[in-house]
Amino acid sequence: MASRLDWLRTCKLKQLEAIARATGINSSGTKPVLISHIQEGLSQTHNNSPNVASDKSLQQKHQRNGEYKIFSIDMGIRNLAYCQLVLPPSWLHPSSDISKISTTTTPVTPTLRHWSRIDVSSPSDRQSTKPRLKESFTPAIYAPHAHTFLTTHILPHNPTHILIERQRFRSMGGSAVQEWTLRVNMFEAMLYAILQTYMAEGKWEGEVVPVLPSKVVKYWLDGGEDGVVEGGVDLGDEKTVKKNEKGKRTSLGTEKSKARKMGIVRDMVQNGSGIELQGQAREMGDLVMGKAEGKKRADKGKGLGKFDDLADCLLQGLAWVKWEENKRLVLEKGMEVLDILTANGKGKE
């Protein structure tokens, strides 16, 4: 791997940062540190991951099912959003031999089949007219919630990859750790524990991937005159990106950032750009566009809930798909990848 990437040493720092951002790899540090990040990150691509590519049974399983099933989870308790992206078996060409990858492959469009937001904390109990005790968030209560969520909404679809939004302990750089943050972190850990148990017992074969929200934001909202580059990254103001990573407010602002992400997703749904909606996801797409049940406002559509969470889980999944495709490009094209990232929206095509 290292010898195949020796050309990275001839790149400038900004070029290395562009490669790192386009592949979802840590883009901070000096040039030697960045090269190390990129080499390590590329060794963990789908084609090279010891948990996936070297597992022949899992490769055969992908081929037998005829598709990759990727679930993206935006963490929360009251508002947990998830979606399922489906890609054909030709996606990423599951082969450890990079020479077998065609240089003329047409990029595939992910199919969005499931797209939902749920409350995992027993909403039926809270809606009851009976007097109720103060809601408890103890591990003993939330362990069944985590198990029910996975076995009801995720694992029955036999996913090949499960992307889980990585939680942070502090918000906006504050010194205090909020109680609600601890609850979501606890729930996140339970999901990992359950999935690891299922893998260890042979009940599920797949890969669990943690995704940092800052990298997703950097991919979709970094650069351009209006701060948005759809489906790619920009070589723009790195100071803005670093402030985002530290949790500080930037010129985008938290609310403005949410609005822009929701705008990107609405454009995707309306124009059919970058995704194809099917089944339940199509119904959710109609709600997003305010078309379902004659509703004039999308946010009043039944079942839509908080749209920003739905947007986040979808953008997280799509970003990860593009990261993996861009990693393949880096391995396949070498130095030429710099021209591709610049010419095609930083890895959009």
Side-chain angles (χ1 to χ4, degrees), residues 323-338:
W323 291 340
E324 292 300 304
E325 292 175 355
N326 288 342
K327 287 178 182 179
R328 184 200 67 181
L329 281 175
V330 174
L331 291 171
E332 176 191 1
K333 299 290 187 178
M335 195 77 173
E336 297 176 30
V337 77
L338 296 172

Side-chain angles (χ1 to χ4, degrees), residues 163-218:
L163 317 180
I164 301 178
E165 177 197 18
R166 188 72 180 91
Q167 296 301 290
R168 57 187 177 185
F169 290 98
R170 292 182 173 86
S171 297
M172 306 300 288
S175 59
V177 179
Q178 302 297 322
E179 180 181 2
W180 193 258
T181 303
L182 291 176
R183 293 171 182 170
V184 179
N185 275 305
M186 174 185 69
F187 192 71
E188 175 192 21
M190 288 178 175
L191 296 183
Y192 278 94
I194 293 170
L195 291 171
Q196 179 59 42
T197 301
Y198 269 64
M199 286 189 286
E201 295 181 351
K203 295 180 178 180
W204 173 65
E205 290 182 296
E207 185 175 7
V208 183
V209 183
V211 181
L212 286 172
S214 61
K215 295 187 183 301
V216 177
V217 171
K218 187 184 300 185

Side-chain angles (χ1 to χ4, degrees), residues 312-330:
D312 284 343
C313 74
L314 178 56
L315 292 179
Q316 173 179 273
L318 292 174
W320 183 81
V321 168
K322 297 307 297 184
W323 291 340
E324 292 300 304
E325 292 175 355
N326 288 342
K327 287 178 182 179
R328 184 200 67 181
L329 281 175
V330 174

Side-chain angles (χ1 to χ4, degrees), residues 20-37:
R21 289 197 296 268
T23 52
I25 296 172
N26 189 345
S27 60
S28 62
T30 62
K31 183 175 177 177
V33 171
L34 267 177
I35 291 174
S36 178
H37 286 332

Side-chain angles (χ1 to χ4, degrees), residues 21-321:
R21 289 197 296 268
T23 52
I25 296 172
N26 189 345
S27 60
S28 62
T30 62
K31 183 175 177 177
V33 171
L34 267 177
I35 291 174
S36 178
H37 286 332
I38 293 172
Q39 289 176 338
E40 181 181 359
L42 293 180
S43 70
Q44 297 172 359
T45 65
H46 176 84
N47 287 334
N48 295 287
S49 171
N51 294 326
V52 179
S54 62
D55 188 336
K56 293 183 178 179
S57 65
L58 186 54
Q59 285 188 24
Q60 293 170 355
K61 178 169 169 289
H62 291 162
Q63 296 291 340
R64 184 168 62 251
N65 291 344
E67 55 194 13
Y68 290 87
K69 299 177 181 178
I70 302 167
F71 271 84
S72 175
I73 301 173
D74 182 72
M75 287 299 301
I77 293 179
R78 293 278 192 269
N79 299 290
L80 184 149
Y82 67 93
C83 67
Q84 182 194 33
L85 295 170
V86 179
L87 292 139
S90 59
W91 181 65
L92 290 190
H93 307 269
S95 169
S96 59
D97 185 358
I98 202 71
S99 65
K100 294 181 180 179
I101 297 177
S102 172
T103 59
T104 60
T105 300
T106 302
V108 297
T109 299
T111 299
L112 182 63
R113 288 187 184 167
H114 296 276
W115 194 18
S116 299
R117 183 200 63 84
I118 64 172
D119 183 340
V120 299
S121 59
S122 300
S124 60
D125 293 340
R126 291 200 309 277
Q127 294 171 359
S128 173
T129 57
K130 297 179 180 180
R132 56 183 174 82
L133 300 175
K134 181 179 178 181
E135 186 175 1
S136 175
F137 294 89
T138 63
I141 290 178
Y142 269 79
H145 289 340
H147 184 267
T148 298
F149 165 65
L150 288 174
T151 56
T152 301
H153 300 284
I154 306 298
L155 294 177
H157 300 283
N158 201 14
T160 55
H161 300 78
I162 299 177
L163 317 180
I164 301 178
E165 177 197 18
R166 188 72 180 91
Q167 296 301 290
R168 57 187 177 185
F169 290 98
R170 292 182 173 86
S171 297
M172 306 300 288
S175 59
V177 179
Q178 302 297 322
E179 180 181 2
W180 193 258
T181 303
L182 291 176
R183 293 171 182 170
V184 179
N185 275 305
M186 174 185 69
F187 192 71
E188 175 192 21
M190 288 178 175
L191 296 183
Y192 278 94
I194 293 170
L195 291 171
Q196 179 59 42
T197 301
Y198 269 64
M199 286 189 286
E201 295 181 351
K203 295 180 178 180
W204 173 65
E205 290 182 296
E207 185 175 7
V208 183
V209 183
V211 181
L212 286 172
S214 61
K215 295 187 183 301
V216 177
V217 171
K218 187 184 300 185
Y219 182 81
W220 291 105
L221 302 184
D222 178 29
E225 290 184 1
D226 61 355
V228 178
V229 174
E230 188 172 334
V233 298
D234 189 83
L235 305 183
D237 187 2
E238 183 67 12
K239 291 183 180 179
T240 300
V241 176
K242 289 182 179 179
K243 287 182 180 179
N244 281 335
E245 289 178 337
K246 293 178 181 178
K248 297 180 181 178
R249 295 186 66 86
T250 68
S251 58
L252 285 176
T254 302
E255 293 304 318
K256 195 172 183 180
S257 174
K258 286 184 179 180
R260 293 188 173 187
K261 287 187 289 184
M262 290 188 287
I264 291 173
V265 172
R266 283 195 177 98
D267 287 343
M268 288 181 179
V269 173
Q270 183 176 20
N271 302 323
S273 58
I275 53 172
E276 177 184 350
L277 279 69
Q278 293 181 357
Q280 181 274 337
R282 168 56 63 187
E283 297 176 5
M284 183 61 73
D286 289 339
L287 289 174
V288 168
M289 299 310 300
K291 296 177 181 178
E293 301 179 0
K295 301 294 183 180
K296 294 183 179 180
R297 287 177 54 86
D299 57 359
K300 291 186 179 298
K302 181 181 179 182
L304 181 58
K306 287 185 63 184
F307 178 45
D308 62 310
D309 298 306
L310 290 165
D312 284 343
C313 74
L314 178 56
L315 292 179
Q316 173 179 273
L318 292 174
W320 183 81
V321 168

